[in-house]
Amino acid sequence: MSSGIADRPIALIGFMGCGKSAVGRRLARKLGYAFLDTDHMVEAAAGMSIADLFAQQGEETFREMEAQALAEALASGRCVISTGGGITTIDSNRKLLLDRAAVVLLECEPEEILRRVKPLEKRPMLAGHPDPLERIRQLLAEREPFYRDYHFSVDTTASWPGRTADRIVTWYKNYRMQQQASAGGCSG
Ligand code: S3P
């Protein structure tokens, strides 16, 4: 683990339906940090929903706006950032996250993801596919290499968002304490 990550914003990454927004909101509340969501930032900048943005301007425009939102969020001081599930498929986003955030990966089993992401019309990466569970499995397999860079990970399949947030708080506070102890040890 790199040094100094406990002073950075916490960024939640992972596939759709793994709980990034629900966990992120609770995590921010527990830590007294601001909460930012790159999907909401893109929707605000575009003046339309993600589904409409994909339909009207295409995925490439969405990805450009998402990268811009990520850069802005990472420059916002202490905060919790919920990211879109495809954000780490872009190399420069992955690098930025690892360099500037404490990166927490949320994972979940495909069957539970499908249960959580309905209605599918709001999910441009899944909508219109005849077998959504198969599509989720296919995307998870394709994206597996893009979810390998993180500092801490939690499986949310059988966990409520509040419980997942508690686990992240415990990890984060322990990490901070270790960091402070080693900084004190060096100066003393
Ligand atoms: C996407 C995930 C979505 C949203 C967009 C694309 C993806 O975010 O950014 O629909 O490529 O996996 P959530 O993971 O918050 O649903």
Side-chain angles (χ1 to χ4, degrees), residues 14-18 20-21 37-39 50-51 54 59 62-63 66 82-87 89 117 122-125 139 143 147:
F15 199 76
M16 284 172 265
C18 288
K20 298 179 300 285
S21 300
D37 182 316
T38 57
D39 282 342
I50 302 274
F54 263 73
E59 182 174 353
F62 167 76
R63 294 294 168 206
E66 183 180 50
S82 166
T83 65
I87 209 160
T89 60
V117 293
K122 291 189 176 170
R123 310 281 181 169
M125 300 303 293
L139 274 175
R143 290 183 173 180
Y147 295 134

Side-chain angles (χ1 to χ4, degrees), residues 131-146:
D131 185 342
L133 183 57
E134 195 43 45
R135 170 73 174 155
I136 288 170
R137 289 205 175 104
Q138 176 207 343
L139 274 175
L140 276 171
E142 276 173 28
R143 290 183 173 180
E144 192 275 330
F146 305 121

Side-chain angles (χ1 to χ4, degrees), residues 36-70:
L36 298 171
D37 182 316
T38 57
D39 282 342
H40 294 166
M41 292 168 79
V42 169
E43 288 182 329
M48 65 180 89
S49 69
I50 302 274
D52 286 346
L53 183 60
F54 263 73
Q56 291 176 28
Q57 298 184 37
E59 182 174 353
E60 203 175 324
T61 300
F62 167 76
R63 294 294 168 206
E64 282 165 17
M65 295 183 75
E66 183 180 50
Q68 175 68 34
L70 177 64

